[in-house]
Amino acid sequence: MSKTFKTFLKHTAKDYHNQSVNPPIVRASTIIFKSMEDIRRTQNKGKKDPTGGHFDYGRQGTSTTHILQKILTKLEESYYVFVTPTGFGAVFLAIFSVVRPGDEILVADPVYSPTRLLTQDYLKEFNIKTIFYNPHDLKTLSNNITKKTKLIFVENPGSNSFEFQDLGKILSIAKKKRIFTAIDNTWATPYFFKPIKLGFDMSIVSATKYYSGHSDVMGGSLAVNKKVFDKVRKAERITGLRLGPDDAYLITRGLRTLDVRLDRHQENAKKIAGFLSKYKNIKLLYPYKKDSFNFRMWKKYYSGASGLMGLKIKCKSIKSIRKFVNSLNLFGYGYSWGGFESLALHQEFREMGKRKFMNLAKDEHFVRLHIGLEDPKDLIDDLRKSLKHIK
Ligand SMILES: Cc1ncc(COP(=O)(O)O)c(C=O)c1O
């Protein structure tokens, strides 16, 4: 019987041996074999079928991590998915798998600020040059391609500023010049957009966010096509960047309800966006206004939107922003997002990594909201009361 992905998520990874609807957590450093021949047989199987989950040492994973990888490979519709201890580990793995000293890389200007620091500063120490391109002016991408360009690194939408890019155009530029492509797809997850299907070589998701969904685990995933599989596998083995089985179990558990949660995050976020769009001093950074380029690009490539949005607020002083966020009761104040609970965070322009193509006026401030799974009426009441402080 063919099943939709939603049904697959509920019925996968059962453990018939132990009569449990959930898989066991297999923790292992040593994996024991019956004999010298047995270990060789497993190693030979691993050489013939490197995606098949044949382990001879715990650093390569156990059946618990393999189950998660199989679910994610199906969700991504990719060749394979590597799992890493954090989302940022997956960013690092993607870049270091294909980039070497002397290369150049092109990176979207509004990337997650640690990704900016990694590419702009750390890669420089390895003689790798980073050029940032304007997400809404792809001439700044194509005009900066040289013979040394090895990778285009996209994050969509832009971190905190939520620009949506013309991903198809970026891919056709990259393909013509035989440049590798990677995208950070944490905002949408492959539930709403499948980058490998569109043509990206690598796709990153911080599993810390919607995959786990309960704000209690860190993890990352890197989906790949066949072209880059060997390169990433080699880098993964060398760096030892692999998720542990306990975290893999929690992420697998979170995935069971990914569809239900993301549909509800989307529904709630749309209601909040409708409410916020009535405020003249707030520019909503979310695919909501039908006449914008961002909306068109979102509609072209995505089947839905998650619960993370930005507010660009015009007000006289930072004091108003402070009063606004401090008086919220249902929105916790803190980093990360993708959990069941709503969160707010003021974003200093400084924290956004000194972007090249974005300037904020003195009276403009960014606040990021993660819309959780609470009753949206309560969230709206909380926002209405607290927004009175914006002067
Ligand atoms: C878009 C994006 N990518 C990657 C990461 C890094 O993920 P992690 O915190 O799991 O290392 C984050 C974390 O906030 C993020 O927002």
Side-chain angles (χ1 to χ4, degrees), residues 157-216:
S159 184
N160 295 312
S161 42
F162 296 88
E163 300 89 344
F164 283 85
Q165 308 174 46
D166 193 337
L167 301 175
K169 226 180 213 172
I170 293 172
L171 286 173
S172 74
I173 295 168
K175 290 232 159 88
K176 258 187 225 146
K177 302 277 182 181
R178 294 169 178 266
I179 298 167
F180 291 115
T181 48
I183 181 168
D184 186 328
N185 187 36
T186 302
W187 181 82
T189 83
Y191 181 63
F192 286 139
F193 166 57
K194 297 187 193 301
I196 302 291
K197 247 181 112 181
L198 189 72
F200 278 91
D201 296 314
M202 295 179 273
S203 176
I204 294 142
V205 175
S206 164
T208 311
K209 315 293 193 265
Y210 290 115
Y211 281 178
S212 87
H214 292 75
S215 309
D216 55 0

Side-chain angles (χ1 to χ4, degrees), residues 84-120:
T84 51
T86 63
F88 198 58
V91 172
F92 180 91
L93 187 60
I95 294 172
F96 276 78
S97 295
V98 297
V99 173
R100 295 291 174 269
D103 289 344
E104 294 179 2
I105 70 170
L106 280 153
V107 176
D109 194 43
V111 279
Y112 175 55
S113 60
T115 305
R116 190 176 186 102
L117 292 180
L118 166 66
T119 51
Q120 164 184 280

Side-chain angles (χ1 to χ4, degrees), residues 350-367:
R350 173 174 54 77
E351 284 174 20
M352 290 160 75
K354 293 199 179 72
R355 294 188 183 174
K356 206 174 151 196
F357 297 104
M358 195 185 76
N359 278 313
L360 277 185
K362 265 200 170 152
D363 62 349
E364 285 178 330
H365 304 270
F366 269 110
V367 173

